[in-house]
Amino acid sequence: MKGIELIKIPKVSDIRGSIGVVEKDMIPFKINRVYYLYDVPHDAYRGGHAHKNLTQFLIALSGSFDVHLNNGKEKIKINLNKPNKGLLIKSGVWREIDNFSSGSVCLVLASEVYDESDYIRDYDSFKLFVEG
Ligand code: TYD
């Protein structure tokens, strides 16, 4: 779907466990912020917005959750459930996240620092944004 991409994250594994590595050339933006969702109740609903400019890369570091994506033309649901697979979400994509497993952690690498004015939190405004 336009506006999203699943990117494999290389891992280095041996009997002591695994290392997942994200290096700058694997994602198409400079990281300006890192945040993570944790202590999320199973019935929580997150997201419910798009961004005008922000690009993000989501990784299920632990557990799993569903990401519902909508670029104004197509909709898709992606279950993120492995730390060696990340989801790139570009600007102009409406996302909703739910079905968090117990103890799940979602790491987010973001292209910009937090800016509330970059959010589109109203669905009708999102439709106008992607159609305009
Ligand atoms: P929001 O991005 O709406 O959360 P989600 O998409 O995961 O449901 O953010 C929830 C609240 O947290 C909102 O009041 C803004 C605040 N927030 C920050 O202050 N800084 C940040 O980097 C993020 C992501 C959110």
Side-chain angles (χ1 to χ4, degrees), residues 33-35 37 45-49 51 56 95 97 113-116 119 121:
R33 176 169 47 128
V34 175
Y35 65 93
L37 308 177
Y45 158 90
R46 305 216 51 127
H49 54 77
H51 287 274
Q56 290 163 297
R95 88 289 312 272
I97 312 176
V113 298
Y114 173 71
D115 174 9
E116 185 58 39
Y119 281 74
R121 293 191 183 274

Short mmCIF file of all heavy atoms in Angstrom, two decimals, residues 33-35 37 45-49 51 56 95 97 113-116 119 121, ligand 1:
data_model
loop_
_atom_site.label_atom_id
_atom_site.label_comp_id
_atom_site.label_asym_id
_atom_site.label_seq_id
_atom_site.Cartn_x
_atom_site.Cartn_y
_atom_site.Cartn_z
N ARG A 33 13.66 11.60 16.90
CA ARG A 33 12.97 11.28 18.17
C ARG A 33 12.79 9.78 18.25
O ARG A 33 12.56 9.11 17.23
CB ARG A 33 11.59 11.98 18.18
CG ARG A 33 10.74 11.66 19.39
CD ARG A 33 9.53 12.59 19.45
NE ARG A 33 8.88 12.67 18.16
CZ ARG A 33 7.56 12.47 17.95
NH1 ARG A 33 6.77 12.19 18.96
NH2 ARG A 33 7.05 12.57 16.74
N VAL A 34 12.90 9.26 19.46
CA VAL A 34 12.62 7.85 19.73
C VAL A 34 11.65 7.82 20.90
O VAL A 34 11.87 8.50 21.90
CB VAL A 34 13.91 7.10 20.12
CG1 VAL A 34 13.59 5.66 20.53
CG2 VAL A 34 14.93 7.12 18.99
N TYR A 35 10.54 7.09 20.74
CA TYR A 35 9.65 6.90 21.89
C TYR A 35 9.09 5.49 21.85
O TYR A 35 9.30 4.76 20.87
CB TYR A 35 8.55 7.97 21.94
CG TYR A 35 7.54 7.96 20.82
CD1 TYR A 35 6.34 7.25 20.94
CD2 TYR A 35 7.77 8.68 19.65
CE1 TYR A 35 5.39 7.26 19.93
CE2 TYR A 35 6.83 8.68 18.63
CZ TYR A 35 5.64 7.97 18.78
OH TYR A 35 4.72 7.97 17.76
N LEU A 37 5.78 2.78 23.34
CA LEU A 37 4.51 2.53 24.02
C LEU A 37 4.69 1.29 24.89
O LEU A 37 5.16 0.26 24.40
CB LEU A 37 3.39 2.27 23.01
CG LEU A 37 3.19 3.30 21.89
CD1 LEU A 37 2.08 2.83 20.95
CD2 LEU A 37 2.85 4.65 22.47
N TYR A 45 -6.97 1.48 22.68
CA TYR A 45 -6.97 1.88 21.28
C TYR A 45 -6.06 3.10 21.19
O TYR A 45 -6.23 4.06 21.95
CB TYR A 45 -8.41 2.23 20.90
CG TYR A 45 -8.57 3.12 19.72
CD1 TYR A 45 -8.69 2.58 18.44
CD2 TYR A 45 -8.61 4.51 19.86
CE1 TYR A 45 -8.83 3.42 17.34
CE2 TYR A 45 -8.75 5.34 18.77
CZ TYR A 45 -8.86 4.78 17.51
OH TYR A 45 -8.99 5.61 16.43
N ARG A 46 -5.05 3.03 20.33
CA ARG A 46 -4.13 4.17 20.21
C ARG A 46 -4.14 4.67 18.77
O ARG A 46 -4.70 4.03 17.88
CB ARG A 46 -2.72 3.75 20.63
CG ARG A 46 -2.67 3.16 22.02
CD ARG A 46 -1.43 3.52 22.76
NE ARG A 46 -1.16 4.94 22.75
CZ ARG A 46 -0.93 5.66 23.85
NH1 ARG A 46 -1.01 5.10 25.03
NH2 ARG A 46 -0.63 6.95 23.75
N GLY A 47 -3.48 5.78 18.55
CA GLY A 47 -3.48 6.35 17.21
C GLY A 47 -4.79 7.08 16.99
O GLY A 47 -5.28 7.79 17.88
N GLY A 48 -5.36 6.89 15.80
CA GLY A 48 -6.56 7.66 15.46
C GLY A 48 -6.14 9.03 14.96
O GLY A 48 -6.69 10.06 15.35
N HIS A 49 -5.11 9.01 14.10
CA HIS A 49 -4.63 10.27 13.52
C HIS A 49 -3.69 9.97 12.35
O HIS A 49 -3.25 8.82 12.16
CB HIS A 49 -3.90 11.12 14.58
CG HIS A 49 -2.80 10.41 15.29
ND1 HIS A 49 -1.56 10.17 14.74
CD2 HIS A 49 -2.75 9.86 16.54
CE1 HIS A 49 -0.80 9.53 15.60
NE2 HIS A 49 -1.49 9.30 16.70
N HIS A 51 -0.39 12.22 9.99
CA HIS A 51 0.56 13.34 10.15
C HIS A 51 0.76 14.03 8.82
O HIS A 51 0.73 13.41 7.76
CB HIS A 51 1.90 12.81 10.67
CG HIS A 51 1.83 12.42 12.11
ND1 HIS A 51 2.01 13.31 13.13
CD2 HIS A 51 1.54 11.23 12.70
CE1 HIS A 51 1.86 12.70 14.29
NE2 HIS A 51 1.57 11.43 14.05
N GLN A 56 7.39 7.67 10.41
CA GLN A 56 7.72 6.88 11.60
C GLN A 56 8.06 5.44 11.21
O GLN A 56 7.59 4.94 10.19
CB GLN A 56 6.52 6.84 12.55
CG GLN A 56 6.22 8.16 13.22
CD GLN A 56 4.82 8.15 13.80
OE1 GLN A 56 3.84 8.03 13.07
NE2 GLN A 56 4.73 8.29 15.10
N ARG A 95 -3.65 6.04 11.04
CA ARG A 95 -3.34 4.79 11.71
C ARG A 95 -4.10 4.67 13.01
O ARG A 95 -4.35 5.66 13.72
CB ARG A 95 -1.83 4.64 11.95
CG ARG A 95 -1.22 5.22 13.22
CD ARG A 95 -1.17 6.72 13.25
NE ARG A 95 -0.63 7.32 12.05
CZ ARG A 95 0.65 7.54 11.87
NH1 ARG A 95 1.51 7.23 12.81
NH2 ARG A 95 1.08 8.13 10.78
N ILE A 97 -4.16 1.72 16.32
CA ILE A 97 -3.42 0.57 16.84
C ILE A 97 -4.22 -0.04 17.99
O ILE A 97 -4.66 0.69 18.90
CB ILE A 97 -2.01 0.97 17.34
CG1 ILE A 97 -1.30 1.82 16.28
CG2 ILE A 97 -1.17 -0.26 17.65
CD1 ILE A 97 0.06 2.35 16.73
N VAL A 113 10.80 15.87 15.86
CA VAL A 113 10.46 15.97 17.27
C VAL A 113 8.95 16.13 17.39
O VAL A 113 8.25 16.38 16.39
CB VAL A 113 11.20 17.14 17.97
CG1 VAL A 113 12.71 16.91 17.91
CG2 VAL A 113 10.84 18.47 17.36
N TYR A 114 8.44 15.99 18.60
CA TYR A 114 6.99 16.07 18.81
C TYR A 114 6.47 17.46 18.44
O TYR A 114 7.01 18.48 18.88
CB TYR A 114 6.66 15.75 20.28
CG TYR A 114 5.21 15.98 20.60
CD1 TYR A 114 4.24 15.12 20.10
CD2 TYR A 114 4.82 17.06 21.37
CE1 TYR A 114 2.91 15.33 20.37
CE2 TYR A 114 3.48 17.28 21.65
CZ TYR A 114 2.53 16.41 21.14
OH TYR A 114 1.21 16.63 21.40
N ASP A 115 5.41 17.47 17.65
CA ASP A 115 4.80 18.75 17.24
C ASP A 115 3.30 18.51 17.04
O ASP A 115 2.89 17.90 16.05
CB ASP A 115 5.46 19.21 15.93
CG ASP A 115 4.79 20.46 15.36
OD1 ASP A 115 3.93 21.06 16.04
OD2 ASP A 115 5.13 20.82 14.21
N GLU A 116 2.50 18.97 17.98
CA GLU A 116 1.06 18.70 17.91
C GLU A 116 0.44 19.27 16.62
O GLU A 116 -0.52 18.72 16.10
CB GLU A 116 0.36 19.27 19.16
CG GLU A 116 -1.14 18.97 19.27
CD GLU A 116 -1.49 17.47 19.27
OE1 GLU A 116 -0.76 16.67 19.88
OE2 GLU A 116 -2.53 17.12 18.66
N TYR A 119 -0.15 16.92 13.66
CA TYR A 119 -1.18 15.88 13.73
C TYR A 119 -2.43 16.27 12.94
O TYR A 119 -2.84 17.43 12.95
CB TYR A 119 -1.63 15.65 15.18
CG TYR A 119 -0.71 14.81 16.03
CD1 TYR A 119 0.49 15.31 16.50
CD2 TYR A 119 -1.06 13.52 16.41
CE1 TYR A 119 1.32 14.55 17.32
CE2 TYR A 119 -0.24 12.75 17.23
CZ TYR A 119 0.95 13.27 17.67
OH TYR A 119 1.76 12.51 18.48
N ARG A 121 -6.01 14.96 13.53
CA ARG A 121 -6.75 14.08 14.45
C ARG A 121 -8.22 13.94 14.08
O ARG A 121 -8.95 13.17 14.71
CB ARG A 121 -6.62 14.58 15.89
CG ARG A 121 -5.20 14.49 16.46
CD ARG A 121 -5.20 14.76 17.94
NE ARG A 121 -3.87 14.76 18.52
CZ ARG A 121 -3.22 13.67 18.96
NH1 ARG A 121 -3.79 12.49 18.85
NH2 ARG A 121 -2.02 13.77 19.49
P1 TYD B 1 -0.41 10.36 20.59
O1 TYD B 1 0.66 10.53 19.56
O2 TYD B 1 -1.80 10.83 20.26
O3 TYD B 1 -0.47 8.82 21.03
P2 TYD B 1 -0.87 7.52 20.20
O4 TYD B 1 -0.84 7.84 18.74
O5 TYD B 1 0.15 6.51 20.60
O6 TYD B 1 -2.23 7.12 20.68
O7 TYD B 1 0.09 11.04 21.95
C1 TYD B 1 -0.61 10.86 23.17
C2 TYD B 1 -0.23 12.02 24.07
O8 TYD B 1 1.16 11.99 24.34
C3 TYD B 1 -0.55 13.39 23.48
O9 TYD B 1 -1.08 14.20 24.50
C4 TYD B 1 0.78 13.92 23.06
C5 TYD B 1 1.76 13.21 23.97
N1 TYD B 1 3.04 12.96 23.29
C6 TYD B 1 4.15 13.74 23.60
O10 TYD B 1 4.09 14.67 24.44
N2 TYD B 1 5.33 13.50 22.95
C7 TYD B 1 5.46 12.52 22.04
O11 TYD B 1 6.56 12.31 21.45
C8 TYD B 1 4.31 11.70 21.73
C9 TYD B 1 4.38 10.60 20.73
C10 TYD B 1 3.13 11.97 22.38
#
